Amino acid sequence: MEKQEIRKYVLEKLQKMEHSSDKQVKQIHQNLYFNKIWYKSLVIGITMSKSPEISTKEIITEAWRMGKKVAIPKCNPTDKSMEFYIINSVDQTELSFYGVLEPIPDLCERLNPNQIDLLIVPGLAFNRNGYRIGFGGGYYDRFLSRYYGPTIALAYEWQTDLDFYEEIHDKKVDCILTEF
Ligand SMILES: Nc1ncnc2c1ncn2[C@@H]1O[C@H](COP(=O)(O)OP(=O)(O)O)[C@@H](O)[C@H]1O
Ligand SMILES: [Mg+2]
């Protein structure tokens, strides 16, 4: 299938299952908390999820509870780049252009990619080789070309073996955690 068709298919399916998937989302979160890299990492790069994506709010709260630092990206639509900033509370965020909560740069510390210990990469779909389809901006493909640390994606099992060809600029994630 074409990437665009897959985005549409996945978004529609996520919307339909949104209110019936709490148990699976909890299991995905638990599988992250049991992961050794999560456990060891002090600085977590993660996005603030937006419905109907798998929620990351609980993950951010858990990271803070464990004494980890949380960094979230600010997107620059002009060149489709991203920079991560540490946030200590949601008061340091604002709604962006895309409808996603982003850091308020004046209130936050900016990080270089190599200061992130673990990057949780959002994605709509993955193929068997671990390549991902995002929302179509290519933001993570660009960021991953200058980030060399570990990456984990969170997804329902059905999102992890969709059939598409990766393109030359697409980047892989190291590991996908599902509800199983
Ligand atoms: N490292 C990069 N440098 C320049 N352009 C890139 C890079 N990575 C992706 N792009 C561009 O971003 C656009 C969106 O990429 P795509 O892979 O379709 O989106 P997504 O990964 O968000 O699903 C494409 O036009 C692609 O050429
Ligand atoms: Mg891509």
Side-chain angles (χ1 to χ4, degrees), residues 3 7 80 132-142 145 167 169-171:
K3 284 181 169 182
R7 288 190 188 100
K80 303 232 158 91
R132 61 179 274 287
I133 292 182
F135 284 85
Y139 282 92
Y140 273 87
D141 290 327
R142 285 180 185 81
S145 69
E167 296 176 274
H169 61 263
D170 284 327
K171 299 285 181 210

Side-chain angles (χ1 to χ4, degrees), residues 67-122:
K68 299 179 188 295
K69 295 190 173 187
V70 172
I72 65 168
K74 172 143 188 86
C75 291
N76 179 353
T78 315
D79 61 2
K80 303 232 158 91
S81 65
M82 294 190 301
E83 300 278 14
F84 281 77
Y85 292 82
I86 292 194
I87 58 160
N88 306 306
S89 103
V90 283
D91 297 342
Q92 289 168 289
T93 68
E94 64 188 351
L95 216 51
S96 74
F97 168 87
Y98 293 101
V100 181
L101 286 173
E102 289 195 341
I104 302 171
D106 287 348
L107 302 183
C108 306
E109 179 193 347
R110 189 172 66 81
L111 295 184
N112 290 320
N114 65 11
Q115 292 175 290
I116 298 170
D117 298 326
L118 168 63
L119 187 65
I120 314 255
V121 178

